[in-house]
Amino acid sequence: MSTWRHLPPAARAIAVASVDAVEAARAKDDVAFTEAVEKLGGLDPEQTGRVLGAVVRMLLEERHPDGLDGDDIRAALEHAVRAAGAWRDVDPQVMVVLLVGALGIHETDEDAAVPPRALATHAPLLIDDLLGDRSFASLLTRALAEIERGELQDF
C-alpha cells in the first residue's frame, strides 16, 4: 500500500483516512469504520468530497463505459443502500446526493450540501459497494492524479 508521502499534507490525510474507511467498510469492521469516519469527517469536506467523488465517478464510468442512464443510477443506488444497510444505518438521500454529485448532475448549494459526517460515513460505503474486487488504493491514486492534472490545467 502507498504511504502517500508524495502528496501535500491535506491530500495525504484524505488519502489515509479514505483508505482506512473503505478497508473497514470492506471488512464490515464497525469499530474501525467508526474511527476512520471520525478522522475522515474531521477533514476539509470540500476537498474530501472532491476526492471521493472522483473515485465514485471513475467506478461508475468503469462499470458503464457506454454511459449511464437513470436506471443505471437507480440500480447502483439500490444495491449500495441494501449492501450498506445490512450492517450500518444508511440515509438513501445522502447516497443519491453522492452518486449524482460525483457525476456532476447535482449542483451542491448550501441547502443540498451533505454534512461532513454524512459524507465521511456514506462515501466509503458507496465506494465499497462499487469497488468489487478492485484495489481502492490504486483507484484513489488515479483519482488524485486526475485532480492534480485538472488543477495544473487551471493555471
Side-chain angles (χ1 to χ4, degrees), residues 18-34 36 87:
S18 297
V19 168
D20 290 348
V22 171
E23 286 179 357
R26 290 184 112 173
K28 311 292 185 263
D29 183 334
D30 212 22
V31 172
F33 185 76
T34 300
W87 72 285

Side-chain angles (χ1 to χ4, degrees), residues 5-135:
R5 286 187 194 133
H6 65 287
L7 295 174
R12 186 178 328 121
I14 292 169
V16 170
S18 297
V19 168
D20 290 348
V22 171
E23 286 179 357
R26 290 184 112 173
K28 311 292 185 263
D29 183 334
D30 212 22
V31 172
F33 185 76
T34 300
E35 290 174 9
V37 164
E38 286 299 318
K39 290 178 188 170
L40 194 57
L43 301 172
D44 182 293
E46 185 176 328
Q47 292 176 345
T48 302
R50 187 171 179 200
V51 171
L52 296 176
V55 171
V56 169
R57 184 184 44 72
M58 288 176 153
L59 285 165
L60 290 168
E61 288 174 350
E62 284 179 7
R63 283 186 166 202
H64 303 278
D66 296 328
L68 288 117
D69 61 21
D71 291 336
D72 296 327
I73 294 170
R74 187 176 8 269
L77 172 67
E78 288 173 0
H79 194 274
V81 168
R82 229 178 285 115
W87 72 285
R88 297 292 300 187
D89 288 333
V90 179
D91 182 343
Q93 187 60 37
V94 172
M95 289 284 203
V96 168
V97 172
L98 293 174
L99 270 171
V100 298
L103 295 170
I105 298 170
H106 186 274
E107 289 297 320
T108 304
D109 60 23
E110 291 295 318
D111 296 328
V114 175
R117 172 76 180 185
L119 169 69
T121 301
H122 288 73
L125 295 171
L126 177 60
I127 290 167
D128 170 43
D129 187 63
L130 293 172
L131 264 175
D133 61 356
R134 293 177 198 84
S135 163

